[in-house]
Amino acid sequence: MKKRSFVTILVLLIVWMISGEMVDNPIKLPSFFDVAERMIELALDSGFYEAFTHTLARSFFGLLLALFMGVSFGVCSGISHKFEEYFEPVYTILKSIPNVSYILIVLIWTNSRIATCVIGFMVMFPMAYANTLSGMKSIESKYLNLMRIYPVRRSYKIFKVYLPLISHYIYASFSNGLGLTFKVGIMAEILGSVSPGLGRQFQLCRINVDMIGIFAWTIWLVLFLIVFEAILKFLQNKFIKDEEIHD
């Protein structure tokens, strides 16, 4: 973490501590120390890891399926202009539907656990498709001209040329979509009363007017996403360096 970012976080924590003491009302603004204590209690409870695991599995399944389908359709649109024109209305409709509409419709159509995966897919698919198509259109003409001069199999073009060249766009879809999929997935779990999962924990905190619990679960979720994105960034940088050395 950069020094300036650390300073900002430290200032925010100090402001929280002071504000919590001034307000002196755990429902309006929980004390920093009460939230920290609850976070430790959660970390020592097996149910904490069970809830995270189930929500993570549902969100990841929807996200990975969306990436697979989005990248596949994006590559097809990048290769064929006719395919792009045929698929354009579908993409426009999917990206225009509000997330809450997805959640409500899918919850009515399917059972709650499947709905979480489907909603994650529906929310992430347009982003994955758009990023992939942008990557395909950004490929330099020299590569395309080279493949016209020296014809190769379509499978070779896709796996050896297109996908490596648009890998950064695919990574961006995964990285940016991770947090969004989690947020939407938890909303679906709350509305669908899915158990076990993070949504169920937030729902219980809401019913019990447990603001300390809401803060504790939220901070743990934020920390998880920060750590996971840091790992992804490290792997991406390592992958880029390995490619440069190989080249």
Side-chain angles (χ1 to χ4, degrees):
M1 182 183 294
K2 297 179 180 178
K3 291 183 178 180
R4 292 177 181 175
S5 299
F6 179 78
V7 170
T8 301
I9 293 174
L10 185 61
V11 170
L12 291 175
L13 290 176
I14 293 173
V15 171
W16 180 12
M17 292 179 192
I18 297 174
S19 301
E21 293 298 324
M22 292 176 63
V23 174
D24 194 23
N25 188 329
I27 295 179
K28 291 183 178 180
L29 182 62
S31 165
F32 167 81
F33 301 101
D34 290 340
V35 173
E37 182 179 356
R38 179 68 64 84
M39 290 178 66
I40 295 173
E41 292 176 0
L42 290 175
L44 298 176
D45 184 5
S46 60
F48 170 80
Y49 301 98
E50 183 182 16
F52 252 100
T53 301
H54 281 82
T55 298
L56 181 65
R58 297 185 192 111
S59 300
F60 253 69
F61 181 80
L63 175 59
L64 294 178
L65 182 61
L67 280 175
F68 175 76
M69 296 297 293
V71 170
S72 299
F73 278 77
V75 170
C76 290
S77 293
I79 294 174
S80 171
H81 185 65
K82 290 182 179 180
F83 184 91
E84 180 186 0
E85 291 181 343
Y86 280 121
F87 193 73
E88 181 65 23
V90 178
Y91 164 70
T92 302
I93 292 171
L94 290 177
K95 76 172 184 177
S96 302
I97 297 176
N99 293 341
V100 68
S101 296
Y102 279 130
I103 295 173
L104 295 176
I105 293 171
V106 176
L107 282 174
I108 293 173
W109 282 353
T110 65
N111 68 62
S112 300
R113 295 187 180 183
I114 295 177
T116 306
C117 302
V118 175
I119 291 165
F121 168 80
M122 298 300 288
V123 170
M124 281 308 307
F125 175 78
M127 181 188 295
Y129 172 80
N131 282 0
T132 302
L133 182 57
S134 296
M136 291 292 292
K137 290 183 176 181
S138 70
I139 295 177
E140 295 181 19
S141 58
K142 64 180 180 181
Y143 296 108
L144 302 178
N145 294 332
L146 189 62
M147 285 188 290
R148 293 191 187 99
I149 298 173
Y150 302 100
V152 292
R153 290 175 300 176
R154 178 159 293 183
S155 60
Y156 181 90
K157 292 180 182 179
I158 294 173
F159 293 102
K160 298 295 184 180
V161 180
Y162 294 139
L163 290 181
L165 289 175
I166 65 173
S167 59
H168 295 295
Y169 292 85
I170 298 174
Y171 169 80
S173 297
F174 182 80
S175 179
N176 296 331
L178 181 65
L180 179 60
T181 305
F182 253 69
K183 294 173 186 176
V184 175
I186 292 173
M187 287 173 59
E189 289 180 348
I190 292 174
L191 293 176
S193 298
V194 181
S195 181
L198 293 176
R200 178 60 176 170
Q201 299 301 323
F202 279 105
Q203 179 76 333
L204 291 173
C205 290
R206 185 190 69 83
I207 294 172
N208 297 319
V209 197
D210 181 10
M211 190 65 75
I212 295 175
I214 292 175
F215 269 64
W217 281 103
T218 301
I219 293 174
W220 271 124
L221 178 59
V222 171
L223 290 175
F224 170 79
L225 291 175
I226 290 174
V227 171
F228 198 86
E229 288 181 0
I231 294 173
L232 286 178
K233 192 171 184 179
F234 170 78
L235 293 176
Q236 183 194 28
N237 292 336
K238 188 175 185 305
F239 177 73
I240 293 174
K241 288 181 181 178
D242 290 345
E243 275 191 339
E244 291 175 349
I245 294 174
H246 181 72
D247 292 340

